[in-house]
Amino acid sequence: MAMPTSSNSLRERVAFDQRGRASDGGGGTTTTWQEKFSRRAAYVHRNTGEVVMADRLQKKRTLLIRVRADSQTRAITNDWRARDTKTGQTYNILDATPTPDRRWVDVLAQTGGPNG
């Protein structure tokens, strides 16, 4: 699939969650995921390459999530997670990089692991 370059290609809805703390009801705290914001997004599935094939053997799926760049999406780091709001699937964020034209942020994400 070609990289999405228009708002019309943003057909998915993705929430971006950050670790936070919440009361455990007994006077202590627990680590939880807290939604920071959600955005329309486009998925670009990675289908080729040695790393992608090795990930498939480990039941992982790697994809690129493209969102419009703004102050919130530029703040995404690899200790956050992405979540498809329709399916509930969570993704570990491996990297978030603004495109050279600064109009988009490309989020490299993967299922499996502690967050996904």
Side-chain angles (χ1 to χ4, degrees), residues 10-17 34-43 61 63 65 67 81-91:
L10 305 178
R11 298 191 175 161
E12 309 297 333
R13 187 73 145 159
V14 177
F16 292 94
D17 304 332
Q34 297 173 346
E35 182 175 325
K36 298 310 265 184
F37 57 89
S38 66
R39 292 288 184 277
R40 289 178 46 203
Y43 294 155
R61 188 170 45 123
L63 71 148
I65 302 171
V67 293
R81 75 175 183 184
R83 182 172 36 86
D84 184 305
T85 61
K86 186 162 77 171
T87 66
Q89 175 68 57
T90 58
Y91 300 93

Side-chain angles (χ1 to χ4, degrees), residues 18-70:
Q18 187 176 28
R19 286 187 200 269
R21 296 217 173 259
S23 172
D24 65 3
T29 61
T30 184
T31 302
T32 62
W33 288 102
Q34 297 173 346
E35 182 175 325
K36 298 310 265 184
F37 57 89
S38 66
R39 292 288 184 277
R40 289 178 46 203
Y43 294 155
V44 179
H45 295 275
R46 299 184 60 172
N47 297 322
T48 60
E50 287 182 34
V51 173
V52 172
M53 297 311 240
D55 287 346
R56 283 187 183 161
L57 292 174
Q58 296 177 21
K59 306 256 191 254
K60 294 180 182 178
R61 188 170 45 123
T62 303
L63 71 148
L64 194 69
I65 302 171
R66 178 165 272 192
V67 293
R68 279 210 172 273
D70 61 36

